[in-house]
């Protein structure tokens, strides 16, 4: 009985035979061509997954070509990605600003005053305020963390906010 060469690879037994036949040699080829740094065995696995997802389109005749092409393209994409990452890492962040020295000085002074006012708050107000505005926690999350009701947390946050706005003229909170 002749083999049906136009049969697709959706049969599990056929697919596993193809895997056993080509996986190791493909992995070795990718390893020799690109090295171990780009995980050639992972690309082989991904190529077989892609073939399984498209098994209706892949015949037994084209299976080897399909697998090798997909795995090689995945490796090439990985190489391109690494080049982009390397080029991005070469770009140095700018070491200048368009801010005036007066603005920088006022910003530094404001930060010192803010820290002083924040440290003068009651500990429970400071805790609730920093958890809410700095760490981004909700009132309910803070209440659960410190063991009080949501209303108490809201009162502490708004009391701290009132003190900060009173003692700092430029204090605006988003």
């Amino acid at each position: 009985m002749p083999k049906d060469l136009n049969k697709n690879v959706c049969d599990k037994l056929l697919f596993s035979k193809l895997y056993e036949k080509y996986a190791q040699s493909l992995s070795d080829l990718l390893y020799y061509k690109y090295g171990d740094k780009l995980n050639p065995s992972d690309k082989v696995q991904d190529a077989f997954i892609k073939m399984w997802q498209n098994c209706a389109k892949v015949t037994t005749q084209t299976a080897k070509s399909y697998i090798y092409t997909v795995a090689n393209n995945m490796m090439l994409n990985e190489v391109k990605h690494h080049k982009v990452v390397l080029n991005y890492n070469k770009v140095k962040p700018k070491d200048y600003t368009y801010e005036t020295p007066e603005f920088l000085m006022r910003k530094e002074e404001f930060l010192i005053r803010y820290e002083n006012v924040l440290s003068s708050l009651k500990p429970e107000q400071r805790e609730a305020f920093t958890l809410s505005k700095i760490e981004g926690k909700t009132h309910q999350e803070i209440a659960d963390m410190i063991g009080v009701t949501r209303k108490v947390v809201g009162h502490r946050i708004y009391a701290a906010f009132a003190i900060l706005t009173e003692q700092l003229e430029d204090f605006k909170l988003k």
Side-chain angles (χ1 to χ4, degrees):
M1 195 165 145
K3 289 185 179 179
D4 186 9
L5 296 178
N6 292 325
K7 183 178 178 184
N8 64 25
V9 295
C10 291
D11 179 39
K12 290 181 183 179
L13 185 62
L14 176 61
F15 186 83
S16 69
K17 285 183 181 180
L18 288 171
Y19 181 82
E20 289 172 9
K21 184 174 181 181
Y22 297 124
Q24 188 59 48
S25 62
L26 177 57
S27 181
D28 292 343
L29 175 74
L30 294 177
Y31 176 79
Y32 294 132
K33 194 172 181 181
Y34 298 104
D36 191 34
K37 196 171 188 177
L38 300 176
N39 300 321
S41 58
D42 288 350
K43 300 304 183 276
V44 171
Q45 296 292 326
D46 292 342
F48 273 96
I49 289 171
K50 193 166 191 102
M51 184 170 78
W52 182 253
Q53 291 169 343
N54 297 315
C55 68
K57 300 175 189 173
V58 181
T59 64
T60 53
Q61 270 183 311
T62 60
K64 181 179 179 181
S65 172
Y66 183 86
I67 290 293
Y68 277 67
T69 303
V70 168
N72 191 50
N73 287 343
M74 287 180 177
M75 291 299 279
L76 290 172
N77 288 341
E78 189 75 19
V79 168
K80 286 179 187 176
H81 174 70
H82 279 284
K83 284 182 181 179
V84 168
V85 169
L86 287 173
N87 287 335
Y88 178 77
N89 288 336
K90 285 181 186 176
V91 174
K92 296 186 190 275
K94 66 178 186 174
D95 58 345
Y96 58 89
T97 64
Y98 294 112
E99 298 168 341
T100 64
E102 178 188 356
F103 174 80
L104 295 173
M105 186 178 71
R106 287 193 65 206
K107 181 177 161 185
E108 192 175 308
E109 289 173 357
F110 178 80
L111 184 59
I112 292 169
R113 288 186 308 156
Y114 172 73
E115 288 173 351
N116 289 336
V117 174
L118 197 60
S119 65
S120 70
L121 294 174
K122 294 178 184 175
E124 58 270 0
Q125 290 175 335
R126 182 175 46 253
E127 179 184 31
F129 182 79
T130 55
L131 285 172
S132 173
K133 302 304 178 190
I134 295 173
E135 293 187 21
K137 304 272 186 207
T138 64
H139 289 200
Q140 188 60 52
E141 289 174 333
I142 297 168
D144 293 340
M145 287 173 66
I146 59 178
V148 295
T149 65
R150 195 170 61 92
K151 268 195 165 189
V152 170
V153 170
H155 176 70
R156 289 178 183 176
I157 291 170
Y158 295 122
F161 184 69
I163 293 169
L164 285 166
T165 54
E166 177 185 313
Q167 294 186 11
L168 300 170
E169 74 263 359
D170 297 334
F171 185 73
K172 294 178 183 156
L173 193 61
K174 293 180 182 179

